[in-house]
Amino acid sequence: MDVQVPVPGPLAERLLACGVRPTAQRLQVAALLLDRPQHMTADQLLVALRAVGCRISKATVYNTLNLFAARGVIRQLAVDGDRAWFDSNVAPHFHFQDVDSGQVSDIETPEVRFERLPPPPEGMEYAGIDLVIRLRRRGG
């Protein structure tokens, strides 16, 4: 009798490619967060997971997000000092943040130009640039 080994789906393959074991709960987090380019806090993700019937602890959500960020599945953003945001888009890009709502949105890299950067310290090189442009409604 041949035993068929299930072929992992695209989410499981993506996790495995980043060195993350695709447990059921990790796949649930990945399915929601990686569904489309988006920015979510751990609390927003927890609410969304519970809204679709997923029974998961807050600690598991935080641990999973930190693991995903450490392995390059997602990108952790320090946008405002109040909370961490998790970005499903790991390609190089920058961000707008609405200071009233807290919402974060992407700015594609070619839309931003840096004419001159200071030279890095001796023995160092640029590894990346994080840019958050904070916005508010006019007249507010």
Side-chain angles (χ1 to χ4, degrees):
M1 174 191 308
D2 287 330
V3 176
Q4 293 289 327
V5 176
V7 176
L11 280 178
E13 290 173 2
R14 183 170 174 182
L15 296 182
L16 286 167
C18 291
V20 175
R21 190 169 53 89
T23 66
Q25 288 183 318
R26 289 174 182 166
L27 286 168
Q28 289 172 319
V29 170
L32 191 71
L33 185 59
L34 302 177
D35 178 50
R36 64 186 192 286
Q38 61 184 322
H39 309 87
M40 297 181 85
T41 66
D43 289 334
Q44 289 172 333
L45 186 59
L46 181 62
V47 168
L49 285 163
R50 289 183 175 166
V52 295
C54 179
R55 294 182 55 173
I56 190 168
S57 73
K58 189 174 193 172
T60 298
V61 169
Y62 275 89
N63 290 338
T64 301
L65 290 171
N66 288 327
L67 174 64
F68 284 7
R71 298 290 172 88
V73 176
I74 59 175
R75 183 173 164 192
Q76 184 172 350
L77 306 173
V79 175
D80 55 22
D82 295 336
R83 61 195 156 197
W85 288 84
F86 296 90
D87 189 347
S88 61
N89 179 1
V90 294
H93 66 283
F94 306 111
H95 296 94
F96 283 127
Q97 183 199 26
D98 181 322
V99 295
D100 297 320
S101 71
Q103 287 304 111
V104 177
S105 57
D106 289 346
I107 306 169
E108 295 304 318
T109 304
E111 295 180 43
V112 177
R113 291 183 40 186
F114 293 97
E115 298 300 325
R116 194 175 112 213
L117 294 173
E122 182 69 31
M124 302 298 286
E125 66 183 8
Y126 293 109
I129 298 173
D130 291 330
L131 173 70
V132 177
I133 300 173
R134 289 171 184 76
L135 306 170
R136 73 169 134 255
R137 298 229 179 266
R138 289 186 183 148

